[in-house]
Amino acid sequence: MVVIGAGAVGSATAIEALRAGLRVTVIEPGEPGGPQATSYGNAGWLSSHSVIPPALPGAWRKVPGWLADPLGPLAVRWRYLPRAMPWLLRYLASGWTEARVQRTADALRTLLADAPALHAQLAAEAGVPQLIEQRGLLHAYRSRAEFEGDALGWRVRQRTGVRWEAWSADELRRREPDLDARYTLGIFVPEAGHCRNPGAYVAALAQHALASGSERLATRATGFRIEGGRLRAVRTETGEIACDAAAICAGARSGPLAAAAGSAVPLESERGYHVVVEGATVGPRTPVMVADGKLIAHWMDGGLRAAGQVEIGGLDAGPDWRRAEILHRHLQSMFPALAGAEGAVAAKQWLGHRPSMPDGLPCIGASAASADGVLAFGHGHVGLCGSARTGRLAAQLLAGSVPETPLEPFDPKRFG
Ligand SMILES: Cc1cc2nc3c(=O)[nH]c(=O)nc-3n(C[C@H](O)[C@H](O)[C@H](O)COP(=O)(O)OP(=O)(O)OC[C@H]3O[C@@H](n4cnc5c(N)ncnc54)[C@H](O)[C@@H]3O)c2cc1C
């Protein structure tokens, strides 16, 4: 069988397919875990509690702001608006009521609940156990009122079984001495984990698949040869690869491949950015997300990374590095001592594409044209976290066994 794409999802799928006894060829035009992959530059959160879809009830009221402020935490590029409109409408509809949000959360929880443990296991197998840390994650708020603004999300999380500790201002100061004093409430989620170098982690998983017997071809998949409902070959830029099964794990670039397999699904890029401050000497003790800037900060192997921003502008438009500068400035305001610290001015910048479905749930399931083709993409904000369980589920589908958790919520056919 062929795995298309060696990001977090494809690499986990390759490992699990090998474990299921399948012969595996991985197609990837870039370096596995390289900067072309979204899996490279994310915030590293293995946030088993990130079960809330991006749109919540009342999100429609924010639409004028998304259009008016091109540098806000969520923005839609005007020129791209006509193309994005159908996706945006579905996105708003999927978070229309609390009941819908709960349904999404319940489904996502099945994918994410034990992600930190699954990733620790994969990392150990791949020889990089040090890259996965289980230290909990922190959400910092400036006031109780700001927290109340997120109350729906926390209420829904609680119903899925997520538990947390509330830290007072004093507790927050004690635990996070470098964090700016404007943050006065911490919500600490002990169950969650963190990856301290997502690119290196994915590269290690891909290498582990290779060492376990997979082949790798440096080429790009372009389509499929399907005859009488059976998959015969994956078409690539360098010719056909004969196979009897394939998994589409090309992240935000999976859309045309899924369409070629009969499943035209509404996949959109939620573009995001990161900055890495290499010489930083002050920062968080716990990976932290702040409610005011909607960004995540923590130490990575290469320095202090801040990741965030959502920009709807498609796959082809160039980066708007002002967004990365916003992240950098916000990081400095979170940790005021950072601005004066050695090396803090030199920040590396990166743009990536979250592969996002409008309802906040990935596509994991058979393609419409052939059950031999499996879609495994569309994890949006939680693709690193969700990749370990997704790899297992995709491998189970490819091997023809019964998936270990229900796949109905992730069925690509749900879009009609
Ligand atoms: C700023 C930011 C912060 C984030 N933070 C987090 C976080 O903290 N936690 C979390 O869980 N998620 C986070 N995410 C989301 C997460 O990074 C993605 O959901 C995840 O990386 C998607 O993984 P993937 O394997 O599906 O796609 P990718 O990592 O993009 O991998 C797809 C691979 O397919 C290859 N490919 C593309 N086209 C083809 C083709 N035609 N043929 C063959 N190969 C192809 C690409 O080269 C690439 O290597 C964040 C994303 C962003 C942008």
Side-chain angles (χ1 to χ4, degrees), residues 191-249:
E191 66 172 44
H194 188 256
C195 174
R196 47 176 311 122
N197 190 337
Y201 175 50
V202 170
L205 294 185
Q207 184 54 37
H208 179 53
L210 209 56
S212 308
S214 74
E215 276 185 67
R216 190 193 298 159
L217 294 176
T219 186
R220 194 179 304 276
T222 54
F224 304 95
R225 180 154 60 83
I226 297 171
E227 292 165 358
R230 302 313 307 256
L231 179 65
R232 302 293 180 206
V234 172
R235 296 199 163 109
T236 78
E237 286 177 345
T238 47
E240 283 194 357
I241 303 170
C243 63
D244 54 9
I248 303 172
C249 309

Side-chain angles (χ1 to χ4, degrees), residues 4-10 27-34 36-47 219-222 249-254 257 270-274 296 307-309 350 352-355 376-386:
I4 301 171
V9 174
I27 308 181
E28 166 61 58
E31 270 305 306
Q36 86 288 351
T38 316
S39 300
Y40 166 87
N42 57 59
W45 270 33
L46 303 176
S47 43
T219 186
R220 194 179 304 276
T222 54
C249 309
R253 300 192 186 272
S254 300
L257 292 168
E270 285 186 80
R271 298 152 57 99
Y273 292 78
H274 86 207
I296 293 175
Q309 299 270 324
W350 171 85
H353 297 277
R354 297 180 190 87
F377 60 81
H379 296 71
H381 295 239
V382 292
L384 177 70
C385 184

Side-chain angles (χ1 to χ4, degrees), residues 117-128:
L118 290 179
H119 282 288
Q121 196 182 318
L122 277 178
E125 273 179 41
V128 287

Side-chain angles (χ1 to χ4, degrees), residues 29-399:
E31 270 305 306
Q36 86 288 351
T38 316
S39 300
Y40 166 87
N42 57 59
W45 270 33
L46 303 176
S47 43
S48 41
H49 66 297
S50 286
V51 294
I52 306 301
L56 291 174
W60 58 270
R61 286 192 214 103
K62 299 182 181 161
V63 174
W66 297 346
L67 293 168
D69 180 5
L71 296 177
L74 194 160
V76 182
R77 286 197 182 184
W78 271 104
R79 222 178 297 154
Y80 194 71
L81 183 62
R83 252 185 96 178
M85 191 57 101
W87 185 91
L88 281 169
L89 291 175
R90 278 180 147 145
Y91 170 89
L92 293 173
S94 67
W96 205 256
T97 62
E98 185 165 337
R100 284 192 198 177
V101 172
Q102 187 71 51
R103 268 207 305 278
T104 302
D106 291 340
L108 266 185
R109 186 72 172 156
T110 65
L111 207 60
L112 305 183
D114 49 7
L118 290 179
H119 282 288
Q121 196 182 318
L122 277 178
E125 273 179 41
V128 287
Q130 74 285 359
L131 294 184
I132 304 297
E133 297 175 336
Q134 176 93 45
R135 53 166 72 225
L137 301 173
L138 176 64
H139 294 252
Y141 291 93
R142 288 171 297 178
S143 62
R144 172 127 312 251
E146 190 171 59
F147 169 74
E148 291 301 335
D150 277 355
L152 182 148
W154 289 105
R155 196 161 64 230
V156 169
R157 283 189 186 99
Q158 191 168 34
R159 287 191 213 111
T160 68
V162 173
R163 298 291 174 262
W164 60 87
E165 297 167 11
W167 292 353
S168 66
D170 285 348
E171 183 73 1
L172 198 53
R173 286 296 75 69
R174 197 177 66 72
R175 305 254 201 167
E176 293 292 344
D178 294 335
L179 189 64
D180 187 66
R182 71 178 183 274
Y183 299 104
T184 57
L185 173 63
I187 300 294
F188 175 66
V189 184
E191 66 172 44
H194 188 256
C195 174
R196 47 176 311 122
N197 190 337
Y201 175 50
V202 170
L205 294 185
Q207 184 54 37
H208 179 53
L210 209 56
S212 308
S214 74
E215 276 185 67
R216 190 193 298 159
L217 294 176
T219 186
R220 194 179 304 276
T222 54
F224 304 95
R225 180 154 60 83
I226 297 171
E227 292 165 358
R230 302 313 307 256
L231 179 65
R232 302 293 180 206
V234 172
R235 296 199 163 109
T236 78
E237 286 177 345
T238 47
E240 283 194 357
I241 303 170
C243 63
D244 54 9
I248 303 172
C249 309
R253 300 192 186 272
S254 300
L257 292 168
S263 298
V265 293
L267 174 66
E268 185 53 77
S269 162
E270 285 186 80
R271 298 152 57 99
Y273 292 78
H274 86 207
V275 288
V276 176
V277 183
E278 285 181 326
T281 50
V282 295
R285 303 322 190 244
T286 307
V288 58
M289 175 175 217
V290 288
D292 52 352
K294 302 254 179 281
L295 63 87
I296 293 175
H298 199 54
W299 301 98
M300 293 278 174
D301 282 346
L304 179 57
R305 178 180 293 185
Q309 299 270 324
V310 173
E311 182 185 41
I312 306 295
L315 288 165
D316 300 324
D320 182 347
W321 293 126
R322 290 175 303 172
R323 294 186 155 275
E325 282 154 23
I326 289 172
L327 290 175
H328 192 183
R329 277 201 299 280
H330 203 92
L331 186 68
Q332 290 175 336
S333 87
M334 285 163 68
F335 303 102
L338 187 62
E342 185 194 350
V345 278
K348 283 190 175 166
Q349 302 173 330
W350 171 85
L351 159 71
H353 297 277
R354 297 180 190 87
S356 296
M357 309 310 299
D359 59 359
L361 294 170
C363 286
I364 309 172
S367 73
S370 169
D372 306 327
V374 168
L375 279 58
F377 60 81
H379 296 71
H381 295 239
V382 292
L384 177 70
C385 184
S387 59
R389 173 69 65 200
T390 301
R392 293 167 65 104
L393 293 165
Q396 286 155 8
L397 287 173
L398 291 161

